[in-house]
Amino acid sequence: MTPMTDPMIDAEGTPRTTAPPAGSTRRALVGRLSWGLADQAASSVSNFVVGIYVARSLGLAAFGAFSLAWVTYGVLLNVSRGLATDPLTVRFSGVPVASWRAAVARSSGSALGLGAALGAACLVVGLALGGRVGPAFVCLGVMLPALLLQDAWRFAFFAAGTGRKAFVNDLVWGVALVPAMVVAARVGSVAAFLLAWGASAAVAAGYGCVQSGIRPRMPEARGWLREQRDLGYRYLVENVALSGASQLRAYGLGAIVGVGSVGAVRGAELLLGPFLAVLMGLSLVTVPEAARVLRRAPHRLGAFCLLLGGGQAAAALLWGAALLLMPDRLGELALGGVWHSASQLIVPVTLGVAGAGLGTGAAAGLRALAAARRSLRCQLIASTFYAGGGLGGAALAGTVGSAWGVAAATLSASAVWWLHLRPALREHHHEPIPEVRTP
């Protein structure tokens, strides 16, 4: 067992044996956050372009089928994060290089193994469904191992404080997407676009092995899951509750209103894509940094989380205001036939994203404190609010009602997160600094 206070890894990934000056610490923090923002920007642009391209190429109904596969990927991604990589960022951010490398080999192997198992389940479901949606799930199952491994490398690089490598990896994925999407557009099917998206992720996943010099150890996945079970299983339930609520809302909306309504919601979310993508992968940057703040200056963690959440919320509101001023012709140029339905949802979707952004600040604090029981409770409440608001709103007022229900639910859930962070911070002052487990 190695204490959290052992030599840290600096921004270049080398061990640091002495405490750095305050100015150097601030510059390192700004550097890591800057690479985090750059990486999320690359991911956001990639997701945004893919969504726009597919929406324009397929039309509303087919785009709805693509969106169902996309939402399902979000659920499975969060399974992998909860079990394989969330414990990595909590326990192996800023630890000796040898400990980090050994942990990354096992966590990435776990992500790859989970991708193979969950991908096989997607194949079975897709073959059973058939129709328009079935092929989408089959293709998702084939590509899932590569998708989850690529995400695992991003977690590993941010845990080491080398966000530059995560940015380059996402950039490689984006570059590989260009020819893949061109080929998919010539085929013109949902399956072709999903295969193109996954194949480009496989390129980035392979490059991650080169960047890190680490080979995923699938045979050691069981040992990793067993050793991290005190955090991993709670994070699994927490993450799946979040993405599962989103999937339940998508499926329920499709059943209540129609598959086209799922495409309309996805189109509106694409307009706020940069912020949604940041929120999806926020733990890549914020949890490691919150953990560092906790170790170096515990009294500053609350302010750090408030600044983080408030900045996210303000940025989302500003972006939403700009979207409201966007001329219809630009919206039609971006989303084609999806624009008319999506534009009616800009205000409630913006408020929902702002509420989620505010809540992520408190969520990062709870993760850094390893307060898994509190964060799990918050996430279960938030997920219940989300699913209930989305489906209840759909039953009362269709697609628009669902969007407003989700906005109200997300804002309420944000308050729950902050109400739990305050007592968690007080409790931390009376407990010893936790220890990080090393293989």
Side-chain angles (χ1 to χ4, degrees):
M1 303 254 304
T2 304
M4 287 280 208
T5 51
D6 271 5
M8 308 292 286
I9 296 175
D10 66 15
E12 296 302 320
T14 56
R16 180 188 296 129
T17 56
T18 59
S24 176
T25 299
R26 284 193 293 270
R27 286 193 298 271
L29 172 61
V30 171
R32 289 191 298 269
L33 289 176
S34 297
W35 281 117
L37 291 174
D39 174 71
Q40 292 302 333
S43 177
S44 299
V45 170
S46 176
N47 288 336
F48 181 77
V49 170
V50 168
I52 293 296
Y53 197 66
V54 175
R56 289 183 56 83
S57 301
L58 296 180
L60 189 60
F63 185 58
F66 178 89
S67 299
L68 288 176
W70 185 286
V71 170
T72 302
Y73 159 70
V75 175
L76 302 181
L77 177 65
N78 279 315
V79 171
S80 176
R81 287 181 174 181
L83 292 175
T85 49
D86 279 344
L88 178 77
T89 59
V90 172
R91 287 184 164 142
F92 294 90
S93 292
V95 299
V97 175
S99 297
W100 173 82
R101 290 182 63 85
V104 168
R106 303 172 80 203
S107 66
S108 60
S110 300
L112 189 59
L114 287 167
L118 296 172
C122 285
L123 281 170
V124 173
V125 170
L127 293 173
L129 285 176
R132 186 189 296 271
V133 177
F137 278 80
V138 169
C139 295
L140 176 63
V142 171
M143 294 301 174
L144 196 60
L147 289 163
L148 298 189
L149 180 58
Q150 191 276 337
D151 187 70
W153 291 130
R154 299 173 70 211
F155 270 76
F157 294 141
F158 279 110
T162 53
R164 171 180 54 84
K165 292 184 178 181
F167 169 75
V168 172
N169 193 274
D170 267 328
L171 200 61
V172 168
W173 188 1
V175 171
L177 264 172
V178 175
M181 284 289 149
V182 171
V183 173
R186 293 181 178 177
V187 178
S189 67
V190 174
F193 279 107
L194 284 167
L195 289 174
W197 174 54
S200 55
V203 173
Y207 183 61
C209 296
V210 176
Q211 287 178 291
S212 63
I214 298 172
R215 185 168 58 186
R217 298 178 186 170
M218 284 184 60
E220 298 187 22
R222 182 175 297 179
W224 173 264
L225 299 178
R226 183 176 59 253
E227 292 174 12
Q228 308 301 325
R229 63 182 180 274
D230 58 326
L231 293 182
Y233 292 152
R234 284 194 173 100
Y235 289 159
L236 167 65
V237 176
E238 183 179 329
N239 290 354
V240 171
L242 171 63
S243 53
S246 176
Q247 188 175 27
L248 178 62
R249 185 251 184 138
Y251 288 156
L253 186 60
I256 294 170
V257 186
V259 176
S261 64
V262 180
V265 170
R266 177 61 185 155
E269 291 173 347
L270 279 173
L271 295 173
L272 285 114
F275 299 100
L276 290 172
V278 167
L279 290 177
M280 272 189 70
L282 200 59
S283 61
L284 293 172
V285 183
T286 58
V287 174
E289 292 308 323
R292 289 183 174 94
V293 171
L294 179 64
R295 293 168 198 154
R296 294 171 180 171
H299 61 285
R300 295 180 181 174
L301 181 60
F304 174 82
C305 294
L306 183 60
L307 179 63
L308 175 68
Q312 287 279 330
L317 291 174
L318 288 173
W319 186 270
L323 289 176
L324 290 174
L325 300 175
M326 187 170 66
D328 285 342
R329 64 179 181 276
L330 291 181
E332 292 171 356
L333 181 63
L335 293 180
V338 178
W339 164 253
H340 177 71
S341 299
S343 62
Q344 301 175 40
L345 310 178
I346 290 176
V347 172
V349 170
T350 297
L351 292 176
V353 172
L358 185 61
T360 55
L366 289 175
R367 285 285 178 96
L369 291 164
R373 183 170 299 178
R374 285 189 178 276
S375 62
L376 174 59
R377 186 181 304 127
C378 290
Q379 192 57 72
L380 290 176
I381 293 172
S383 299
T384 301
F385 284 177
Y386 184 94
L391 296 179
L396 291 174
T399 307
V400 175
S402 179
W404 278 108
V406 166
T410 306
L411 291 167
S412 300
S414 177
V416 173
W417 281 103
W418 283 100
L419 288 173
H420 278 75
L421 178 62
R422 292 186 63 184
L425 288 170
R426 288 196 299 268
E427 291 168 2
H428 176 75
H429 294 310
H430 304 290
E431 296 178 355
I433 295 176
E435 293 185 331
V436 60
R437 301 178 180 182
T438 60

